[in-house]
Amino acid sequence: EPDVTIVSGLKDMVVSEGDDVTFRCQVSHENARDVEWKLQDVALQNNEMNEISVEKGKIHTLTLRKVTEQDIGTVTFRVGPHTSRA
């Protein structure tokens, strides 16, 4: 299995309270396993507040819905040993 690396990392975002925000990270291979999203070091699950998806097989996205002040912090995307933060 080839080592999956991050081709295009996360970018810092500034949003207003109540808005949605989407983070994108592109990886080198499709169907990457061992992928994790975190907000403030807390692992995120796909639910009504956090939409986690994969576009075109390589672009992993995280959408945080109706953000609040409590959502301020570092978003981390990890695939295997590689990480990107914003």
Side-chain angles (χ1 to χ4, degrees):
E1 191 169 310
D3 186 32
V4 178
T5 60
I6 295 173
V7 176
S8 175
L10 300 177
K11 293 178 176 48
D12 291 341
M13 305 292 271
V14 177
V15 293
S16 299
E17 192 167 18
D19 287 350
D20 295 350
V21 60
T22 299
F23 295 91
R24 287 182 177 81
C25 202
Q26 184 174 347
V27 297
S28 58
H29 295 79
E30 292 186 9
N31 304 318
R33 290 195 281 285
D34 194 24
V35 170
E36 182 179 50
W37 286 98
K38 288 184 175 182
L39 175 60
Q40 304 165 2
D41 286 329
V42 175
L44 299 176
Q45 304 297 324
N46 197 20
N47 58 37
E48 66 277 355
M49 296 307 292
N50 313 313
E51 182 183 325
I52 297 171
S53 62
V54 181
E55 300 170 2
K56 300 185 179 100
K58 295 182 183 180
I59 301 170
H60 293 255
T61 64
L62 165 67
T63 300
L64 302 176
R65 303 240 179 257
K66 297 183 175 65
V67 296
T68 66
E69 279 189 31
Q70 286 75 40
D71 295 318
I72 293 171
T74 303
V75 171
T76 306
F77 173 82
R78 180 187 60 79
V79 57
H82 307 286
T83 59
S84 179
R85 291 181 177 83

